[in-house]
């Protein structure tokens, strides 16, 4: 067992999570609207999905990997449609005040929705497989793979703790008008990502 595998996974998970994209945008917006706990629950959904894909690569579960990669077009359509839904819902949201903790939607729903959105991106597993291959642990299984997977989860989770803490501090300065504009901008960007995912999927079917 090589303890350094945990550190490698930690750096990898943190780096992948820190990439700015629709997921980060959703977590930021949820933290502003509903507080750090809700935002962090969403972030843990991302960390769990990252760790799941990391585990598939590290433990060499090629059958499952092949199914996911083979279904990448369908998954892209599902993910794109879900992103369109979230984008429209975000854009049309009209908050009257920054939500208090008692007004927060369910934490399980926050976790599950972001987990589902992240897991429908099969290109993530290809990224993990490529990076893990460089580390020499693809399909190795055992303690090294387990440490690497745990590191990915902890690294990704660490990023979401940092991000939601920063936006928690900003939340006290957000006015109702500011939150409305944050919803509009976030919604438009998410709609754009959703359209792009669907168009890319259709192009892939014609390729």
């Amino acid at each position: 067992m090589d303890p350094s595998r945990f550190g490698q996974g930690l750096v990898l998970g943190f780096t992948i999570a820190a990439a700015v994209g629709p997921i980060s945008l959703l977590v930021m917006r949820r933290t502003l609207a509903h507080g750090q706990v809700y935002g962090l629950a969403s972030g843990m959904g991302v960390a769990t999905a990252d760790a799941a894909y990391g585990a598939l690569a590290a433990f060499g579960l090629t059958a499952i990997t092949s199914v996911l990669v083979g279904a990448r077009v369908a998954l892209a359509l599902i993910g794109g449609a879900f992103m369109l839904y979230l984008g429209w819902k975000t854009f049309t949201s009209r908050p009257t005040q920054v939500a208090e903790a008692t007004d927060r939607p369910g934490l399980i729903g926050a976790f599950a929705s972001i987990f589902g959105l992240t897991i429908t991106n099969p290109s993530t597993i290809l990224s993990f497989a490529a990076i893990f291959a460089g580390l020499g642990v693809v399909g190795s299984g055992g303690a090294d793979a387990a440490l690497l997977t745990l590191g990915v989860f902890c690294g990704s989770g660490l990023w979401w703790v940092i991000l939601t803490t920063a936006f928690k501090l900003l939340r006290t300065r957000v006015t109702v008008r500011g939150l409305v504009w944050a919803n509009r901008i976030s919604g438009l960007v998410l709609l754009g990502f959703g359209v792009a995912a669907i168009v890319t999927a259709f192009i892939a079917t014609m390729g």
Side-chain angles (χ1 to χ4, degrees), residues 47-138:
T48 302
D50 285 345
Y53 271 147
L56 289 177
F59 285 93
L61 303 178
T62 54
I64 298 176
T65 300
S66 297
V67 169
L68 288 171
V69 173
R72 62 185 180 278
V73 173
L75 289 173
L77 288 172
I78 294 171
F82 188 40
M83 208 174 297
L84 287 177
Y85 165 75
L86 290 175
W88 179 250
K89 186 176 180 182
T90 300
F91 183 83
T92 57
S93 177
R94 296 290 185 270
T96 55
Q97 61 181 7
V98 176
E100 300 295 336
T102 53
D103 301 323
R104 213 169 38 219
L107 298 180
I108 294 177
F111 175 93
S113 63
I114 300 294
F115 175 84
L117 193 58
T118 307
I119 211 71
T120 54
N121 182 14
S123 62
T124 305
I125 194 171
L126 298 178
S127 300
F128 276 111
I131 296 172
F132 282 16
L135 297 175
V137 294
V138 169

Side-chain angles (χ1 to χ4, degrees), residues 151-163:
V152 167
F153 176 80
C154 291
S156 182
L158 176 61
W159 165 251
W160 299 117
V161 169
I162 293 172
L163 184 70

